[in-house]
Amino acid sequence: MTVALYPGSFDPVTKGHLDIVRRASRLFEKVIVGVYDMPAKGRTLFTTEERVDMFRQATSDTPNIDVVPYKGLTVTFAREQGAMVMVRGLRASSDFEYEFEMAMMNRNIEPQVEVVCLMSRLDYQFLSSSLLKEVAQLGGVIGNLVPAHVESALTERLHKLQRSVGSFREPGLKE
Ligand code: ADP
């Protein structure tokens, strides 16, 4: 059985990620989505548990996709999971250099793990979680870029953050 690992931070999962993982699930018997558990708190908008839950909900209709958190080196996690393939998504030209460097470094650590890059669909070429968060924060439309449950989680989290920043500033505000 060929097991593939699709690793990332998925903060939050977008339709670009979902397109890649669905296509990978047709190529490999099992796909493990590895959600990177950041060592430093506060570097992601969502906690690891939230990121895992959102991805799980989005792929609950595909039985050969498993979503699990992981810490440490991605290739080591791949080996532990019995994954001989690591799937990555490539957008336009922006991802190539970084992915190429990572693949070379990973090959040096775990030569048995092969990297398979899938080209992003045209409509998601310019979609990234970080840009999505920026647009959502400024009130832009993101409904066509993420599943509905991610859109509401994102809106709720950003409102909560804005409220806490507002209440923190209020005492010092002078008009
Ligand atoms: P990172 O690994 O930098 O934290 P992500 O978690 O967002 O980034 O992405 C995980 C993987 O999904 C990477 O291979 C990334 O290139 C890919 N990816 C991200 N967004 C898209 C997209 N819109 N289309 C295709 N692949 C994507």
Side-chain angles (χ1 to χ4, degrees):
M1 176 160 92
T2 314
V3 179
L5 172 69
Y6 179 41
S9 37
F10 309 116
D11 185 44
V13 60
T14 68
K15 287 191 178 176
H17 298 129
L18 292 171
D19 171 52
I20 297 291
V21 78
R22 292 226 168 87
R23 284 159 54 199
S25 75
R26 284 184 233 124
L27 294 173
F28 306 106
E29 282 148 299
K30 183 174 169 186
V31 180
I32 299 170
V33 176
V35 178
Y36 185 54
D37 189 359
M38 298 267 174
K41 279 209 178 349
R43 286 191 54 202
T44 54
L45 183 61
F46 294 100
T47 65
T48 305
E49 207 189 344
E50 289 167 333
R51 288 180 280 131
V52 167
D53 285 348
M54 282 188 276
F55 213 130
R56 272 197 192 136
Q57 204 176 321
T59 52
S60 58
D61 58 346
T62 315
N64 66 335
I65 300 177
D66 267 2
V67 186
V68 289
Y70 77 98
K71 288 181 201 282
L73 274 178
T74 305
V75 274
T76 307
F77 178 66
R79 182 170 40 77
E80 286 165 4
Q81 295 292 311
M84 300 310 288
V85 173
M86 206 149 87
V87 172
R88 301 291 288 170
L90 278 192
R91 285 159 293 189
S93 54
S94 58
D95 288 328
F96 179 76
E97 233 168 277
Y98 175 73
E99 292 298 338
F100 193 80
E101 262 178 37
M102 281 299 287
M104 292 304 114
M105 184 55 83
N106 285 336
R107 181 176 293 169
N108 190 51
I109 308 168
E110 286 290 343
Q112 302 93 325
V113 176
E114 279 299 342
V115 176
V116 171
C117 290
L118 299 180
M119 309 304 152
S120 176
R121 245 172 69 157
L122 255 188
D123 12 356
Y124 303 139
Q125 285 285 340
F126 300 99
L127 172 58
S128 68
S129 296
S130 48
L131 188 57
L132 179 89
K133 285 181 278 190
E134 239 178 278
V135 171
Q137 195 160 17
L138 297 170
V141 176
I142 53 153
N144 56 337
L145 304 173
V146 288
H149 68 281
V150 175
E151 185 185 8
S152 36
L154 200 49
T155 312
E156 196 183 307
R157 178 59 44 91
L158 291 171
H159 276 157
K160 199 171 152 192
L161 277 179
Q162 269 160 7
R163 277 201 304 273
S164 66
V165 169
S167 61
F168 177 72
R169 279 200 190 135
E170 242 160 30
L173 283 180
K174 281 185 191 137
E175 281 286 312

